[in-house]
């Protein structure tokens, strides 16, 4: 709890992304105590909580998981192939 309070005081958070291209924000105290959770990696941005939220809002324009987006693309491709 004390580490979380420190992260909030200094305002430094880290943006992480997983294999499904879903974004999240972690305080550095969590990463220092536990490391980045399996399946997640740093997205290359850190800053205040508000700055991290703005960054995610700018880059994460399609919030569907990557596997769903890929499946939808395949379905569209199959439909286009069958209509030819």
């Amino acid at each position: 709890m004390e580490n979380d309070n420190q992260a909030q005081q200094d305002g430094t958070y880290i943006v992480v992304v997983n294999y499904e291209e879903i974004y999240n924000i972690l305080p550095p105290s969590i990463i220092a105590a536990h490391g980045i959770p399996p399946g997640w990696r740093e997205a290359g941005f850190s800053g205040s909580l508000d700055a991290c939220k703005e960054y995610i809002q700018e880059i994460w324009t399609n919030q569907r998981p990557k596997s769903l987006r890929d499946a939808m693309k395949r379905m569209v491709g199959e439909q286009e192939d069958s209509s030819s």
Side-chain angles (χ1 to χ4, degrees), residues 1-14 26-31 47-49:
M1 185 77 157
E2 185 176 318
N3 288 341
D4 288 339
N5 290 337
Q6 182 61 38
Q8 290 174 5
Q9 287 174 2
D10 69 21
T12 304
Y13 292 81
I14 298 171
L26 296 176
S29 60
I30 297 294
I31 294 172
S48 70
L49 182 58

Side-chain angles (χ1 to χ4, degrees), residues 50-62:
D50 288 339
C52 289
K53 288 178 182 179
E54 287 177 25
Y55 172 77
I56 290 172
Q57 187 173 13
E58 287 176 18
I59 62 166
W60 193 19
T61 57
N62 186 342

Side-chain angles (χ1 to χ4, degrees), residues 4-25:
D4 288 339
N5 290 337
Q6 182 61 38
Q8 290 174 5
Q9 287 174 2
D10 69 21
T12 304
Y13 292 81
I14 298 171
V15 176
V16 294
V17 61
N18 69 12
Y19 65 95
E20 286 281 10
E21 297 179 357
I22 295 174
Y23 289 80
N24 202 350
I25 301 169

Side-chain angles (χ1 to χ4, degrees), residues 23-80:
Y23 289 80
N24 202 350
I25 301 169
L26 296 176
S29 60
I30 297 294
I31 294 172
H34 306 286
I36 295 176
W40 294 83
R41 61 181 166 77
E42 288 188 41
F45 187 88
S46 63
S48 70
L49 182 58
D50 288 339
C52 289
K53 288 178 182 179
E54 287 177 25
Y55 172 77
I56 290 172
Q57 187 173 13
E58 287 176 18
I59 62 166
W60 193 19
T61 57
N62 186 342
Q63 295 184 351
R64 291 177 279 198
K66 183 178 185 318
S67 59
L68 176 60
R69 295 190 316 262
D70 292 346
M72 292 171 68
K73 286 179 188 176
R74 284 191 303 272
M75 288 176 61
V76 168
E78 289 171 4
Q79 289 174 354
E80 289 174 354

